[in-house]
Amino acid sequence: MSNLNSRLLVANWKSHKTLDEAKHWLRGLIAFLATESNQSDNKLPQIVLAPPYPFLLPLSEQLRGVTGVSLAVQDISPFPAGSYTGAVSVRNLEGLPITHAIVGHSERRRYFHETHQEIANKVDLLIEANITPIVCVDQTYIIAQAEAIPKRARSGCVVAYEPLESIGTGVSQEVAKVLPVVEEIRTHFGQVPVIYGGSVDEDNLDAYLLATNGVLVGGASLEIAEFSDLITKSIF
Ligand code: PGA
């Protein structure tokens, strides 16, 4: 489970990359981390990598023995194991070292028409399976999303504040506007880790890390050189 003391750096690859590209990226990350962890006092962030489903097994094998990096799924079925063609259930993840699951990403809400209730069902299934949900919210539906999730499950979530207008646009939200939203999220979810997502890059990362417990990175996570720079900036 995540706690408020560790900085979270989540890389969301969405539907990008081939398997070869994914492995190449991870080789780069492992080499980079080996250099960083030799510099004794470094407090690296907790890195969570969310690749497309088919890469989870090969990447988990590549990650064997590597500390500080874990895997997430980008989504999960709102149903338990059963006859739901095309859906990946929490049970399908058993045996894989998955620590987190992104749920309610605005792209899922927009293109796949997901509802607050479906997202709440995913949260329930994930908590039961001991996988930490990263629940994405825009400011306009924080309350509606929180209320759909039973109170006891809310406290087990990480919440990602993702302003719709900042996702993939290159226009990140001013930190001054993020701070009150972080408070609002904690009012409704409890004292959970809150991260920010939306056009995070090397130039704005510092500010978000001061205001939140970490970041969810899309575009700037795709090239390992750029992502390594984000890791360097997250060290404290
Ligand atoms: P972006 O994506 O960093 O490319 O804006 C963030 C996200 O989709 O969570």
Side-chain angles (χ1 to χ4, degrees), residues 10 12 14 16 102 105-107 136 160-172 196-201 215-222:
V10 185
N12 176 14
K14 308 190 180 184
H16 295 285
I102 300 171
H105 192 284
S106 60
E107 288 153 13
C136 301
Y161 169 44
E162 299 227 312
L164 297 181
E165 63 281 6
S166 296
I167 297 173
T169 58
V171 185
S172 61
Y196 168 84
S199 299
V200 171
D201 62 23
V215 286
L216 176 47
V217 188
S221 75
L222 293 176

Tab-separated table of all heavy atoms in Angstrom, residues 10 12 14 16 102 105-107 136 160-172 196-201 215-222, ligand 1:
chain	number	residue	atom	x	y	z
A	10	VAL	N	4.393	7.812	-11.397
A	10	VAL	CA	3.675	6.795	-12.172
A	10	VAL	C	3.842	7.087	-13.653
A	10	VAL	O	3.560	8.199	-14.117
A	10	VAL	CB	2.162	6.785	-11.817
A	10	VAL	CG1	1.452	5.648	-12.539
A	10	VAL	CG2	1.946	6.678	-10.313
A	12	ASN	N	2.478	6.257	-17.230
A	12	ASN	CA	1.333	5.666	-17.928
A	12	ASN	C	1.614	5.681	-19.431
A	12	ASN	O	1.551	6.724	-20.066
A	12	ASN	CB	0.073	6.482	-17.596
A	12	ASN	CG	-1.153	5.989	-18.352
A	12	ASN	OD1	-1.141	4.902	-18.924
A	12	ASN	ND2	-2.215	6.783	-18.343
A	14	LYS	N	-0.134	4.283	-21.713
A	14	LYS	CA	-1.367	4.219	-22.530
A	14	LYS	C	-1.212	3.106	-23.577
A	14	LYS	O	-0.703	2.040	-23.240
A	14	LYS	CB	-1.664	5.596	-23.126
A	14	LYS	CG	-1.659	6.673	-22.019
A	14	LYS	CD	-2.160	8.015	-22.443
A	14	LYS	CE	-2.089	8.979	-21.258
A	14	LYS	NZ	-2.636	10.287	-21.527
A	16	HIS	N	0.812	3.014	-26.187
A	16	HIS	CA	2.038	3.181	-26.959
A	16	HIS	C	2.956	1.960	-26.835
A	16	HIS	O	2.786	1.151	-25.955
A	16	HIS	CB	2.802	4.417	-26.468
A	16	HIS	CG	2.069	5.701	-26.710
A	16	HIS	ND1	1.973	6.282	-27.956
A	16	HIS	CD2	1.358	6.500	-25.877
A	16	HIS	CE1	1.248	7.401	-27.867
A	16	HIS	NE2	0.861	7.554	-26.619
A	102	ILE	N	-4.556	1.839	-12.309
A	102	ILE	CA	-5.175	3.127	-12.625
A	102	ILE	C	-6.647	2.854	-12.936
A	102	ILE	O	-6.946	1.933	-13.706
A	102	ILE	CB	-4.491	3.780	-13.850
A	102	ILE	CG1	-2.998	4.020	-13.571
A	102	ILE	CG2	-5.189	5.087	-14.236
A	102	ILE	CD1	-2.200	4.471	-14.798
A	105	HIS	N	-9.464	6.767	-15.479
A	105	HIS	CA	-8.749	7.766	-16.280
A	105	HIS	C	-9.749	8.461	-17.206
A	105	HIS	O	-10.667	7.817	-17.726
A	105	HIS	CB	-7.636	7.090	-17.084
A	105	HIS	CG	-6.691	8.079	-17.695
A	105	HIS	ND1	-7.013	8.808	-18.809
A	105	HIS	CD2	-5.452	8.486	-17.320
A	105	HIS	CE1	-5.999	9.620	-19.106
A	105	HIS	NE2	-5.041	9.440	-18.208
A	106	SER	N	-9.539	9.739	-17.451
A	106	SER	CA	-10.530	10.484	-18.245
A	106	SER	C	-10.660	9.917	-19.660
A	106	SER	O	-11.718	10.034	-20.281
A	106	SER	CB	-10.172	11.959	-18.294
A	106	SER	OG	-8.910	12.116	-18.879
A	107	GLU	N	-9.589	9.278	-20.161
A	107	GLU	CA	-9.701	8.668	-21.497
A	107	GLU	C	-10.629	7.453	-21.458
A	107	GLU	O	-11.327	7.159	-22.427
A	107	GLU	CB	-8.300	8.301	-22.018
A	107	GLU	CG	-7.518	9.554	-22.408
A	107	GLU	CD	-6.013	9.431	-22.318
A	107	GLU	OE1	-5.495	8.309	-22.182
A	107	GLU	OE2	-5.343	10.486	-22.375
A	136	CYS	N	-8.512	8.311	-10.784
A	136	CYS	CA	-8.325	9.608	-11.437
A	136	CYS	C	-9.618	10.418	-11.346
A	136	CYS	O	-10.701	9.893	-11.624
A	136	CYS	CB	-7.974	9.415	-12.911
A	136	CYS	SG	-6.482	8.448	-13.152
A	160	ALA	N	-5.575	10.536	-8.084
A	160	ALA	CA	-4.829	11.368	-9.040
A	160	ALA	C	-5.743	12.498	-9.497
A	160	ALA	O	-6.809	12.249	-10.082
A	160	ALA	CB	-4.393	10.534	-10.235
A	161	TYR	N	-5.318	13.721	-9.212
A	161	TYR	CA	-6.075	14.873	-9.713
A	161	TYR	C	-5.595	15.153	-11.133
A	161	TYR	O	-4.428	15.500	-11.356
A	161	TYR	CB	-5.862	16.093	-8.811
A	161	TYR	CG	-6.408	17.364	-9.441
A	161	TYR	CD1	-7.650	17.358	-10.066
A	161	TYR	CD2	-5.679	18.546	-9.423
A	161	TYR	CE1	-8.152	18.500	-10.669
A	161	TYR	CE2	-6.176	19.702	-10.018
A	161	TYR	CZ	-7.413	19.667	-10.645
A	161	TYR	OH	-7.896	20.787	-11.260
A	162	GLU	N	-6.497	14.990	-12.077
A	162	GLU	CA	-6.154	15.136	-13.486
A	162	GLU	C	-7.112	16.116	-14.162
A	162	GLU	O	-8.175	15.706	-14.654
A	162	GLU	CB	-6.251	13.776	-14.171
A	162	GLU	CG	-5.307	12.731	-13.596
A	162	GLU	CD	-4.560	12.003	-14.684
A	162	GLU	OE1	-5.197	11.558	-15.651
A	162	GLU	OE2	-3.338	11.922	-14.589
A	163	PRO	N	-6.766	17.412	-14.173
A	163	PRO	CA	-7.651	18.378	-14.837
A	163	PRO	C	-7.773	18.044	-16.332
A	163	PRO	O	-6.752	17.889	-17.020
A	163	PRO	CB	-6.956	19.726	-14.625
A	163	PRO	CG	-5.594	19.429	-14.092
A	163	PRO	CD	-5.559	18.019	-13.619
A	164	LEU	N	-9.004	17.917	-16.800
A	164	LEU	CA	-9.239	17.447	-18.167
A	164	LEU	C	-8.475	18.242	-19.207
A	164	LEU	O	-7.928	17.688	-20.172
A	164	LEU	CB	-10.738	17.504	-18.490
A	164	LEU	CG	-11.648	16.604	-17.652
A	164	LEU	CD1	-13.100	16.745	-18.104
A	164	LEU	CD2	-11.199	15.161	-17.749
A	165	GLU	N	-8.419	19.562	-19.006
A	165	GLU	CA	-7.814	20.415	-20.027
A	165	GLU	C	-6.289	20.299	-20.059
A	165	GLU	O	-5.635	20.834	-20.952
A	165	GLU	CB	-8.251	21.879	-19.845
A	165	GLU	CG	-7.826	22.547	-18.543
A	165	GLU	CD	-8.696	22.183	-17.329
A	165	GLU	OE1	-9.577	21.312	-17.451
A	165	GLU	OE2	-8.451	22.753	-16.255
A	166	SER	N	-5.709	19.576	-19.104
A	166	SER	CA	-4.246	19.489	-19.048
A	166	SER	C	-3.705	18.150	-19.535
A	166	SER	O	-2.501	17.970	-19.655
A	166	SER	CB	-3.771	19.709	-17.606
A	166	SER	OG	-4.092	21.006	-17.200
A	167	ILE	N	-4.589	17.204	-19.807
A	167	ILE	CA	-4.110	15.866	-20.165
A	167	ILE	C	-3.712	15.810	-21.636
A	167	ILE	O	-4.548	16.002	-22.517
A	167	ILE	CB	-5.161	14.796	-19.822
A	167	ILE	CG1	-5.353	14.814	-18.304
A	167	ILE	CG2	-4.726	13.424	-20.298
A	167	ILE	CD1	-6.464	13.953	-17.819
A	168	GLY	N	-2.421	15.596	-21.844
A	168	GLY	CA	-1.896	15.471	-23.198
A	168	GLY	C	-1.902	16.757	-23.996
A	168	GLY	O	-1.727	16.732	-25.215
A	169	THR	N	-2.082	17.886	-23.353
A	169	THR	CA	-2.206	19.147	-24.089
A	169	THR	C	-0.948	20.013	-24.023
A	169	THR	O	-0.820	20.972	-24.785
A	169	THR	CB	-3.362	20.005	-23.519
A	169	THR	OG1	-3.094	20.231	-22.121
A	169	THR	CG2	-4.691	19.322	-23.682
A	170	GLY	N	-0.067	19.708	-23.084
A	170	GLY	CA	1.107	20.560	-22.896
A	170	GLY	C	0.787	21.785	-22.045
A	170	GLY	O	1.652	22.619	-21.798
A	171	VAL	N	-0.462	21.901	-21.605
A	171	VAL	CA	-0.851	23.040	-20.768
A	171	VAL	C	-1.137	22.523	-19.357
A	171	VAL	O	-2.239	22.076	-19.055
A	171	VAL	CB	-2.124	23.730	-21.317
A	171	VAL	CG1	-2.442	24.980	-20.514
A	171	VAL	CG2	-1.952	24.057	-22.792
A	172	SER	N	-0.128	22.550	-18.509
A	172	SER	CA	-0.311	22.025	-17.154
A	172	SER	C	-1.043	23.057	-16.306
A	172	SER	O	-1.052	24.246	-16.633
A	172	SER	CB	1.035	21.678	-16.537
A	172	SER	OG	1.821	22.836	-16.469
A	196	TYR	N	-0.671	14.415	-8.903
A	196	TYR	CA	-1.173	15.287	-9.978
A	196	TYR	C	-0.803	14.676	-11.325
A	196	TYR	O	0.310	14.138	-11.500
A	196	TYR	CB	-0.546	16.688	-9.867
A	196	TYR	CG	-0.814	17.525	-11.104
A	196	TYR	CD1	-2.010	18.226	-11.249
A	196	TYR	CD2	0.113	17.562	-12.158
A	196	TYR	CE1	-2.278	18.943	-12.407
A	196	TYR	CE2	-0.145	18.282	-13.320
A	196	TYR	CZ	-1.344	18.967	-13.435
A	196	TYR	OH	-1.605	19.666	-14.591
A	197	GLY	N	-1.700	14.778	-12.285
A	197	GLY	CA	-1.392	14.346	-13.648
A	197	GLY	C	-1.940	15.333	-14.656
A	197	GLY	O	-3.050	15.858	-14.489
A	198	GLY	N	-1.169	15.595	-15.701
A	198	GLY	CA	-1.597	16.511	-16.762
A	198	GLY	C	-0.435	17.346	-17.233
A	198	GLY	O	-0.092	18.342	-16.601
A	199	SER	N	0.215	16.884	-18.319
A	199	SER	CA	1.341	17.619	-18.927
A	199	SER	C	2.490	17.877	-17.953
A	199	SER	O	3.105	18.938	-17.973
A	199	SER	CB	0.839	18.926	-19.541
A	199	SER	OG	-0.111	18.660	-20.553
A	200	VAL	N	2.755	16.886	-17.112
A	200	VAL	CA	3.925	16.998	-16.225
A	200	VAL	C	5.180	16.842	-17.079
A	200	VAL	O	5.251	15.984	-17.956
A	200	VAL	CB	3.893	15.901	-15.138
A	200	VAL	CG1	5.211	15.869	-14.354
A	200	VAL	CG2	2.722	16.115	-14.198
A	201	ASP	N	6.156	17.695	-16.827
A	201	ASP	CA	7.446	17.560	-17.507
A	201	ASP	C	8.559	18.008	-16.567
A	201	ASP	O	8.307	18.366	-15.400
A	201	ASP	CB	7.463	18.328	-18.841
A	201	ASP	CG	7.265	19.825	-18.651
A	201	ASP	OD1	7.540	20.345	-17.550
A	201	ASP	OD2	6.828	20.481	-19.619
A	215	VAL	N	3.304	12.257	-8.990
A	215	VAL	CA	2.736	12.634	-10.287
A	215	VAL	C	2.414	11.401	-11.136
A	215	VAL	O	3.015	10.339	-10.971
A	215	VAL	CB	3.718	13.542	-11.087
A	215	VAL	CG1	3.768	14.939	-10.505
A	215	VAL	CG2	5.097	12.938	-11.172
A	216	LEU	N	1.464	11.610	-12.025
A	216	LEU	CA	1.102	10.597	-13.024
A	216	LEU	C	1.512	11.193	-14.368
A	216	LEU	O	1.039	12.263	-14.760
A	216	LEU	CB	-0.406	10.349	-12.953
A	216	LEU	CG	-1.095	9.416	-13.934
A	216	LEU	CD1	-0.364	8.106	-14.087
A	216	LEU	CD2	-2.519	9.131	-13.464
A	217	VAL	N	2.411	10.491	-15.057
A	217	VAL	CA	3.028	11.071	-16.243
A	217	VAL	C	2.676	10.255	-17.486
A	217	VAL	O	2.877	9.042	-17.497
A	217	VAL	CB	4.573	11.092	-16.093
A	217	VAL	CG1	5.206	11.876	-17.222
A	217	VAL	CG2	4.984	11.648	-14.745
A	218	GLY	N	2.163	10.918	-18.491
A	218	GLY	CA	1.868	10.257	-19.754
A	218	GLY	C	2.997	10.503	-20.747
A	218	GLY	O	4.001	9.797	-20.774
A	219	GLY	N	2.850	11.536	-21.551
A	219	GLY	CA	3.794	11.835	-22.629
A	219	GLY	C	5.263	11.825	-22.206
A	219	GLY	O	6.109	11.235	-22.896
A	220	ALA	N	5.567	12.441	-21.071
A	220	ALA	CA	6.974	12.551	-20.652
A	220	ALA	C	7.518	11.245	-20.073
A	220	ALA	O	8.663	11.200	-19.615
A	220	ALA	CB	7.131	13.691	-19.636
A	221	SER	N	6.699	10.180	-20.080
A	221	SER	CA	7.217	8.885	-19.593
A	221	SER	C	7.639	7.984	-20.747
A	221	SER	O	8.174	6.897	-20.543
A	221	SER	CB	6.151	8.161	-18.761
A	221	SER	OG	5.142	7.600	-19.594
A	222	LEU	N	7.401	8.412	-21.973
A	222	LEU	CA	7.585	7.485	-23.102
A	222	LEU	C	9.037	7.285	-23.504
A	222	LEU	O	9.417	6.209	-23.963
A	222	LEU	CB	6.762	7.969	-24.308
A	222	LEU	CG	5.244	7.902	-24.111
A	222	LEU	CD1	4.527	8.493	-25.312
A	222	LEU	CD2	4.784	6.469	-23.864
B	1	PGA	P1	0.131	13.611	-20.061
B	1	PGA	O1	-0.870	12.467	-19.587
B	1	PGA	O2	1.271	13.609	-19.060
B	1	PGA	O3	0.567	13.200	-21.420
B	1	PGA	O4	-0.623	14.871	-20.008
B	1	PGA	C1	-1.224	12.389	-18.249
B	1	PGA	C2	-2.301	11.384	-18.054
B	1	PGA	O5	-2.978	11.007	-19.002
B	1	PGA	O6	-2.507	10.953	-16.925
